[in-house]
Structures are given as structure tokens and as C-alpha cells.
């Protein structure tokens, strides 16, 4: 799992606060989906994040 995932990959401040308040965690597959669909990341960084 990626450390500080919500802070790094959830763009909305309100969504980050909600997810943290509810103690939401994402599985490795869910994290990979969010990274792949994150429009602000370059392809090289997406590949690097999915491999870690």
C-alpha cells in the first residue's frame, strides 16, 4: 500500500477529509485504479506508482 495515499491522490480537500473521517482504506487494486485514472499524473509516474 502507498503511504499517505489519500493525501497524494485524492484531489478534493472535502473528499480527503471525508475519507479520513470515515477511516476509509483502499486495497492495492483500488489504489492502482485510482492512479491509472488520475488525470494529472504523467504515464511514467503512473507506471512507477503501480509497480510499488
Amino acid at each position: 500500500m502507498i503511504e499517505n495515499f489519500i493525501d497524494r491522490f485524492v484531489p478534493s480537500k472535502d473528499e480527503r477529509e471525508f475519507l479520513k473521517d470515515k477511516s476509509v482504506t483502499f486495497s492495492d487494486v483500488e489504489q492502482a485504479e485510482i492512479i491509472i485514472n488520475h488525470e494529472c499524473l504523467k504515464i511514467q509516474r503512473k507506471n512507477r506508482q503501480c509497480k510499488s
Side-chain angles (χ1 to χ4, degrees):
M1 299 197 112
I2 298 172
E3 194 173 314
N4 299 320
F5 181 81
I6 291 173
D7 291 327
R8 292 174 64 187
F9 294 103
V10 177
S12 167
K13 178 184 174 191
D14 293 332
E15 285 182 47
R16 285 192 304 269
E17 289 177 8
F18 174 81
L19 293 171
K20 288 177 182 180
D21 286 343
K22 300 294 181 185
S23 299
V24 173
T25 58
F26 296 101
S27 70
D28 290 339
V29 172
E30 291 169 327
Q31 287 184 9
E33 289 177 15
I34 291 169
I35 291 167
I36 293 300
N37 292 314
H38 196 289
E39 62 226 21
C40 296
L41 294 179
K42 293 183 179 181
I43 191 70
Q44 294 88 357
R45 185 166 176 215
K46 288 181 184 184
N47 289 334
R48 208 173 33 244
Q49 290 297 331
C50 285
K51 290 179 183 176
S52 62

